[in-house]
Amino acid sequence: MEFGCMDAQAIAEGLRSKDFTAREVAEGALGRIESVDASINAFLEVTPDLALSAADAVDDAIAAGAIDEVGPLAGVPVAFKDNMNLTGTHTTCASRMLEGYVSPYTATCVQNMLDAGAIPLGKLNMDEFAFGSSTETSAFGTTKNPWDLSRVPGGSSGGSAAAVAAGMATITLGSDTGGSIRQPGCFTGTVAVKPTYGVVSRYGVVAFGSSLDQVGPFSRTVRDAALAMNALSGRDPLDCTSQECSVDFTSDLNAGVQGMRIGIVPEFMNAKGLEPEMRAAVQEAAEKLEAQGAQMVEIDLPNAAAAMSAYYVLGPCEAFSNLSRFDGVRYGYQDPGHKDLNSQDDASRAKGFGPEARRRIMLGSYLLSAGVYDTYYYPAQQVRTLITQDYTRAFEKVDCILAPVSPRTAFKFGEVSDPTTMYLSDIFTISINIAGNGGMNMPLGLGADSHLPVGCQLIAPPFRDRNMLRVAAELERLYGSASVAPRFAEKEE
């Protein structure tokens, strides 16, 4: 039996009725990775021993009559972006700097998924240290979009998105600093959730921008994403930014949108560069939601246009600080044959980091230097406050915001070579990382022109992520749940 298209609920029901075992699920998922991933390169490391061991633990619990104790994700195949530590695996961040680095402990987000009964399949490709929007900066090869192998899956969590879109995993985890969950979700037609900052612990996740990063799930159904959120969320004493979050993210999925106020941002919908089919997809979603009883409300985010400028000050500054530890002495590649520490450090970092990582490190170094800091960093923090206040005022009027995710559908490899143009891929997603709100991609089928996945972004007030999941569940009823990319769905028996 193939399990690539099954969701978590179907797996749970099959285990309960003993139609199959968790070990069969694990073996099926591992076999699918072996047959499919050579054409996609989503996985940097596959973990059959960990997967089968976890599956056997689930089967043993079921045999002992303790199925209710094994967790809500029992037997569900999952995989993790390779900036998340997992004991028994490598954590490379898709960089030569950390090639061969062995995880000394397990990240809290990963452990929470394992505690919920999930089966760990391995570690997933990404842009190097999460610097990118296409997974083209990985030191270990690009990941291909399952919908069109000549196109990117988005980034930086491209491997996480592609693994779900190709039916190799039911749920994967990614991280989002400026759109790195939502944009690849849009490009691959997957449900992709960036929770409110603080809902999920960042402990054990290699940091890019500590005030911006947040971990979240990819899936093919809204319910699977909500189940993953239930497992992931909550206060972690190892992460001082994490918050108590004792809510059931599945509780409002059947509530519909009758009476909900949903915001539309004219500045986003009329933005220069937004392709017609992306605009049309969001407009159609708005019309469908209105027909189901939602009230569409125009809202103003006057400082959102400054989000990109603020982000590319704050992000590189935090990246420069976080990556300073990778010097070949404390962590990372150590270039041989040097007689003094300075030359060894320079050579190790020059050879260990790729071009995009070096670009952001150098930019952060400049922005934090004497005489420059007051000119850029302090104003960027002021802009951050203004953007946060804009969202606060907006959410006094609406329960959720509907917006584009990306200006365009997935582009071809090498098509976007200019760094500035690449950065604009996140023009609609960056502002909520700055403000800290929750946001997600909800697939809306295929674009009328490109016949590639399109989606909409749903944005929630802080710590009210259930609002966006509620709207997403209604859209899923209207559009259908996300599917495995056709060329890989054909491999199902």
Side-chain angles (χ1 to χ4, degrees):
M1 181 182 291
E2 287 275 6
F3 300 95
C5 290
M6 294 180 70
D7 59 21
Q9 183 174 348
I11 291 172
E13 291 173 355
L15 291 176
R16 286 180 179 275
S17 61
K18 298 186 178 180
D19 293 335
F20 47 77
T21 65
R23 189 177 182 92
E24 287 174 326
V25 175
E27 289 173 343
L30 292 168
R32 185 164 176 81
I33 293 169
E34 184 176 3
S35 65
V36 166
D37 196 47
S39 60
I40 296 177
N41 193 36
F43 281 82
L44 295 182
E45 182 175 8
V46 181
T47 55
D49 291 343
L50 293 178
L52 294 175
S53 176
D56 288 343
V58 171
D59 287 334
D60 290 345
I62 293 172
I67 189 170
D68 293 330
E69 299 175 13
V70 296
L73 297 178
V76 175
V78 302
F80 309 103
K81 187 174 180 178
D82 200 33
N83 60 351
M84 302 174 189
N85 279 281
L86 169 59
T87 304
T89 72
H90 298 89
T91 299
T92 71
C93 294
S95 176
R96 296 293 180 193
M97 177 59 76
L98 286 177
E99 186 173 11
Y101 178 73
V102 177
S103 306
Y105 58 91
T106 296
T108 299
C109 60
V110 174
Q111 189 62 55
N112 287 347
M113 295 293 282
L114 301 182
D115 290 345
I119 297 173
L121 299 177
K123 307 294 283 296
L124 297 160
N125 203 8
M126 56 185 285
D127 280 298
E128 182 182 13
F129 282 101
F131 300 149
S133 302
S134 63
T135 317
E136 290 177 290
T137 70
S138 171
F140 307 117
T142 59
T143 296
K144 297 177 177 62
N145 190 323
W147 287 86
D148 181 342
L149 299 182
S150 71
R151 297 179 185 270
V152 304
S156 62
S157 307
S160 301
V164 171
M168 290 186 283
T170 302
I171 297 171
T172 61
L173 297 189
S175 63
D176 190 310
T177 308
S180 289
I181 289 175
R182 290 158 288 156
Q183 185 250 24
C186 181
F187 279 12
T188 60
T190 50
V191 177
V193 178
K194 197 283 299 185
T196 297
Y197 183 85
V199 167
V200 180
S201 171
R202 296 179 298 107
Y203 176 75
V205 181
V206 180
F208 165 1
S210 300
S211 73
L212 303 164
D213 299 342
Q214 190 64 174
V215 171
F218 291 85
S219 64
R220 290 188 298 277
T221 70
V222 175
R223 182 172 182 79
D224 279 4
L227 288 171
M229 286 293 298
N230 282 349
L232 291 167
S233 62
R235 178 81 175 95
D236 177 13
L238 299 173
D239 176 7
C240 65
T241 67
S242 65
Q243 303 293 318
E244 289 291 346
C245 192
S246 55
V247 300
D248 179 1
F249 289 93
T250 68
S251 62
D252 293 336
L253 298 185
N254 297 318
V257 294
Q258 178 73 38
M260 288 192 77
R261 299 164 300 164
I262 300 177
I264 294 288
V265 187
E267 296 97 325
F268 287 171
M269 295 301 292
N270 300 319
K272 181 180 179 181
L274 178 62
E275 291 191 345
E277 67 176 338
M278 300 300 273
R279 181 183 293 108
V282 178
Q283 288 174 335
E284 181 186 67
E287 292 166 3
K288 286 180 177 288
L289 290 171
E290 191 170 30
Q292 298 303 311
Q295 179 186 356
M296 308 310 295
V297 180
E298 283 196 0
I299 58 171
D300 187 29
L301 298 174
N303 295 290
M308 182 72 70
S309 298
Y311 177 85
Y312 279 102
V313 172
L314 301 175
C317 288
E318 295 187 13
F320 168 73
S321 176
N322 282 321
L323 269 63
S324 64
R325 72 197 71 178
F326 301 111
D327 55 9
V329 177
R330 290 169 291 181
Y331 298 96
Y333 167 76
Q334 186 178 92
D335 196 58
H338 296 271
K339 296 181 179 180
D340 64 89
L341 189 59
N342 286 338
S343 65
Q344 181 189 71
D345 182 29
D346 290 347
S348 296
R349 288 172 67 82
K351 296 178 182 179
F353 289 123
E356 184 61 31
R358 293 197 298 270
R359 180 182 293 115
R360 300 204 192 196
I361 290 169
M362 292 171 66
L363 179 58
S365 174
Y366 170 74
L367 292 168
L368 291 174
S369 61
V372 177
Y373 176 93
D374 289 342
T375 304
Y376 293 102
Y377 186 78
Y378 183 62
Q381 292 287 20
Q382 291 177 308
V383 169
R384 182 177 209 161
T385 299
L386 294 173
I387 291 171
T388 303
Q389 290 172 344
D390 286 347
Y391 275 107
T392 299
R393 284 190 290 268
F395 283 120
E396 291 173 355
K397 301 177 182 178
V398 299
D399 305 302
C400 184
I401 294 172
L402 175 69
V405 179
S406 169
R408 56 173 297 175
T409 53
F411 47 86
K412 292 187 176 182
F413 288 101
E415 185 177 347
V416 180
S417 56
D418 174 59
T420 302
T421 304
M422 184 70 78
Y423 298 162
L424 290 173
S425 297
D426 299 330
I427 190 171
F428 300 120
T429 54
I430 276 175
S431 63
I432 75 162
N433 293 84
I434 289 176
N437 302 76
M440 65 180 290
N441 174 69
M442 183 60 211
L444 301 175
L446 303 182
D449 300 325
S450 66
H451 304 292
L452 292 169
V454 295
C456 67
Q457 182 175 199
L458 301 169
I459 304 171
F463 300 100
R464 290 167 62 189
D465 296 353
R466 284 183 296 177
N467 287 14
M468 65 187 183
L469 289 165
R470 176 180 171 183
V471 177
E474 183 66 20
L475 289 171
E476 186 175 62
R477 281 188 283 274
L478 296 170
Y479 284 88
S481 58
S483 61
V484 172
R487 74 175 64 206
F488 297 100
E490 291 171 1
K491 294 181 180 293
E492 297 290 332
E493 297 178 357

